[in-house]
Amino acid sequence: MKPALPQLRAALLTAFGLPATSLTNRTDTADRALIDALKTPGALVIDDVQRIAAPELDYLRLLVDAPTTQTSLVLCGAGAERTLARAPALASRVLTWQQVPRLDTEQVPTVLRLFHPLWDTAADADLLHADATCARGNFRTWAKITSHRYAALARAPETVVDQALLSRACSRLGPTP
């Protein structure tokens, strides 16, 4: 199911830490709040863009086209190029296209440490084992494992990254093909 404009607006308000419940039905106020939030330099990453319909994509274009916007829009997802073809006004503003291939095995430890400091103390051998048995170079899978590892750390701050913890995180992802 594709999100309608009110759901997209509410998700954006929430992502920026704005009061979504009080602003969702006040579109002018909500839009001004989002445009104000986009004044801060940074990147707004939207995943699964293939699930967003053309009118909502045009809404994103209007937000980032505001003269004060300093935030870059990064659209991710399988088939993003086909999705953007349905929104030519936004597609015409694409600066670059990037396809992210699977990580090579030797890249995994370095990339993970650049991705999140939670991996700084992990042994290369443990990361490579988790990659070989679970992630298989898929960065999205590593992002999920990172989320599970982060949750484990929140429950038990003394938790260390080792093969057992990585195995537990991988098992939470469900069966792998």
Side-chain angles (χ1 to χ4, degrees):
M1 186 166 148
K2 295 181 184 272
L5 187 53
Q7 288 83 24
L8 177 61
R9 184 180 286 116
L12 291 171
L13 290 166
T14 300
F16 281 107
L18 298 169
T21 53
S22 64
L23 291 175
T24 302
N25 294 324
R26 301 173 59 209
T27 58
D28 289 342
T29 306
D31 294 346
R32 281 193 302 277
L34 288 170
I35 289 170
D36 190 50
L38 292 168
K39 289 179 184 177
T40 304
L44 173 60
V45 179
I46 299 181
D47 197 5
D48 290 332
V49 71
Q50 70 275 10
R51 294 185 57 228
I52 301 175
E56 287 71 28
L57 290 171
D58 196 51
Y59 175 72
L60 291 172
R61 179 192 58 83
L62 292 172
L63 289 176
V64 298
D65 271 357
T68 57
T69 295
Q70 297 292 311
T71 301
S72 295
L73 182 60
V74 178
L75 302 174
C76 306
E81 64 282 354
R82 291 184 303 277
T83 300
L84 287 177
R86 297 190 316 262
L90 181 59
S92 69
R93 288 156 175 79
V94 172
L95 177 63
T96 187
W97 292 91
Q98 182 68 42
Q99 182 173 353
V100 180
R102 291 188 179 273
L103 297 170
D104 291 332
T105 301
E106 62 273 1
Q107 293 175 301
V108 169
T110 302
V111 170
L112 289 178
R113 289 183 181 107
L114 291 171
F115 170 60
H116 203 290
L118 289 174
W119 299 116
D120 288 348
T121 60
D124 286 4
D126 292 339
L127 295 174
L128 294 172
H129 177 74
D131 191 62
T133 59
C134 179
R136 297 181 178 88
N138 184 305
F139 191 76
R140 182 183 298 259
T141 302
W142 273 111
K144 292 175 186 178
I145 294 169
T146 302
S147 176
H148 288 301
R149 196 274 188 206
Y150 194 78
L153 182 64
R155 289 188 302 274
E158 70 284 353
T159 302
V160 296
V161 178
D162 58 14
Q163 193 166 341
L165 180 127
L166 286 165
S167 293
R168 283 192 305 274
C170 288
S171 70
R172 295 188 62 131
L173 300 177
T176 56

